[in-house]
Amino acid sequence: MRAPSEAELLALWERGRTRHPIDRALLLGGFARPDLPSSRLPDLPLGVINTALLGLREASFGPRIEAYLDCERCGERLEFALDSRQLLACTGQGDGRSELEVAGFRFRPPSSRDLAAVAGEHDVETASRKFLDRCRVDGGNTAWTEDADLRAEVEAGLEALDPMADIALELACEACGHRWVAGLDIGALLWEEIEARARALLTEVHRLARAYGWTEPEILALSPERRAIYLEMVDAS
Ligand SMILES: [Zn+2]
């Protein structure tokens, strides 16, 4: 996978900044997988999009991911490092089946469109039921989701079908001993990094444009090394 150039990164950031996080993930997924028609992306299994995003993240910023999360019990901040290659290896890609059958119902892996369909739902339980029913081939009636055991079985089955759809991290808080499982939102993480990089780049453009009168394309055409030296000289003068 190819890392975006600085100009491409700025263009991605500009296009994505006012979009919903699900659409941002699809925008970045589309950059990562130019071989797929963009109209198909919303209907692809979430694992396909997440795998593409993890690859784009590695190409852009390297395999090491520095992340942090506040303990859900005591609020202590946990800082941890992940390796995207390890994440891919541990999570796996499923067993190759494209459908799941539970209690006579057939299910397909969830897609971005399914996430978007329940994004406005305030009640977590209702959202989860609607989401699962959307994954049912010929769904459209959530009555079956009344059965909590059946729901749990379908959830576990979907996880096995497309493990990368929801990257789970097992966490333990050193301060209070609490252990829990949190999902890694690779789209949100990558977006934060792209946003930070874009803002840093624009600051560099701003300083050099002001000092030398160069245009944005002229500044971005400089190698990062040359740009750093010019910035040092601007600081020193
Ligand atoms: Zn804690």
Side-chain angles (χ1 to χ4, degrees):
M1 193 166 303
R2 172 177 85 77
S5 68
E6 289 172 329
E8 286 171 328
L9 183 139
L10 283 174
L12 281 171
W13 173 68
E14 197 172 18
R15 284 178 63 196
R17 51 189 302 236
T18 54
R19 296 193 190 185
H20 186 278
I22 297 170
D23 294 320
R24 281 179 188 161
L26 288 172
L27 173 71
L28 299 177
F31 181 88
R33 292 288 306 269
D35 55 315
L36 298 171
S38 56
S39 60
R40 273 195 60 212
L41 295 177
D43 297 306
L44 290 179
L46 282 172
V48 174
I49 303 294
N50 284 343
T51 304
L53 294 177
L54 209 53
L56 180 61
R57 204 254 157 223
E58 183 175 326
S60 310
F61 302 106
R64 192 178 158 85
I65 302 173
E66 308 269 1
Y68 63 85
L69 201 71
D70 295 335
C71 170
E72 59 176 21
R73 191 157 81 184
C74 75
E76 177 85 4
R77 176 151 293 187
L78 270 73
E79 289 179 13
F80 49 93
L82 305 163
D83 184 290
S84 51
R85 284 168 299 194
Q86 236 172 359
L87 268 181
L88 271 176
C90 292
T91 312
Q93 294 294 317
D95 53 14
R97 284 178 307 154
S98 59
E99 268 189 24
L100 166 79
E101 195 173 324
V102 180
F105 295 140
R106 281 156 55 222
F107 297 86
R108 53 156 181 81
S111 67
S112 303
R113 206 182 289 283
D114 300 321
L115 271 188
V118 301
E121 195 62 63
H122 295 295
D123 181 61
V124 178
E125 163 121 6
T126 312
S128 153
R129 287 182 179 195
K130 271 194 190 171
F131 185 73
L132 284 180
D133 187 58
R134 281 188 61 93
C135 297
R136 182 158 72 91
V137 179
D138 305 323
N141 180 351
T142 56
W144 69 273
T145 62
E146 301 286 331
D147 184 338
D149 290 339
L150 183 55
R151 233 161 55 214
E153 195 182 336
V154 171
E155 276 171 4
L158 288 178
E159 217 173 287
L161 202 62
D162 187 18
M164 281 296 288
D166 188 9
I167 308 168
L169 302 175
E170 285 176 21
L171 299 163
C173 172
E174 283 180 16
C176 76
H178 181 55
R179 305 177 81 88
W180 78 107
V181 175
L184 173 70
D185 186 341
I186 182 68
L189 179 101
L190 178 57
W191 182 259
E192 257 183 51
E193 290 173 311
I194 284 181
E195 168 126 62
R197 186 78 197 99
R199 288 193 177 277
L201 272 173
L202 290 182
T203 305
E204 292 184 5
V205 170
H206 166 73
R207 291 173 58 205
L208 291 176
R210 208 154 71 159
Y212 297 103
W214 297 332
T215 64
E216 186 189 73
E218 283 169 342
I219 295 167
L220 293 178
L222 294 170
S223 69
E225 292 78 12
R226 275 197 204 191
R227 214 183 298 147
I229 291 173
Y230 281 120
L231 285 167
E232 272 174 30
M233 291 194 276
V234 169
D235 284 339
S237 61

